[in-house]
Amino acid sequence: MKFSYDLHIHSVLSPCGDDDMTPNNIVNMAYVKGLDIISVTDHNTMGNVEAVMKVAKKRNILVIPGIEVTTKEEVHVLCYFRNIEDGLKFQDFIYKGLPDIKNNKKFFGNQLLMDENDNIIGEIEKFLLNSTKYTIKEINDLVNRLNGVFVPAHVDKKSYSILMNLGFIPDELNIKTVEVSKNYPLQSIKNLVSLERYNLIKNSDAHYLGDINEPIEFLDIEKKDVNSLIGHLNRSRRN
């Protein structure tokens, strides 16, 4: 079955996320646009994911617990988990790896924690856009131990991408899926990565409500559940 998706959305917890990116606004925009599956992937935290999951149940939208991590190499990677408990374990590990530098919200933006009613319940003090102290391999290894999936983010971009910063995708990572920007042309993608080797996902990387994907990208999976989706992202195209 085919399901529309957007697996890279930022909430108001990311300092670069607009203040309108609240749990209810994100879910309702996804509902209006006709999306089946979403993931809120804030920078180096999952603090608003549980609230989004609670709201999404009312709209029959599947939320995949996710996070966008900045590695020691300054590469952005998307990490998805089968349940919120594993995701929060991973989040705690990532948070400890951030430098003790406070966010300057007047300069970078808010880092707001919210509940399912869009009430502000706190703020994260550490600046979330920093790189963690963990290498790509260390993060990949932990994601695998937690039975999740590790996806290099926006490999077509000239900043914070694995291809730009490393120049290649290390075989030892055993990556099955990569993300490209939603408007990146297919012909150009073929020049970046092997379409015979890697699955592709096209997400919005939305920081504003209007940027969330329209229902034009689809995943062909057995059913609309987290295990089917993560299994798809973890499956080689050569199998």
Side-chain angles (χ1 to χ4, degrees), residues 111-125:
Q111 296 182 163
L112 300 179
L113 291 161
M114 290 190 157
D115 66 14
E116 64 270 27
N117 298 311
D118 289 356
N119 296 312
I120 298 171
I121 58 174
E123 297 185 47
I124 290 183
E125 289 192 357

Side-chain angles (χ1 to χ4, degrees), residues 49 71 89 96 155-156 169 174 237:
V49 171
T71 72
K89 289 178 187 176
K96 291 174 184 176
V155 297
D156 53 292
I169 300 175
N174 197 27
R237 290 181 64 88

Side-chain angles (χ1 to χ4, degrees), residues 82 226-235:
R82 296 176 189 270
V226 65
N227 289 326
S228 295
L229 186 141
I230 287 184
H232 175 81
L233 299 180
N234 249 336
R235 191 177 305 117

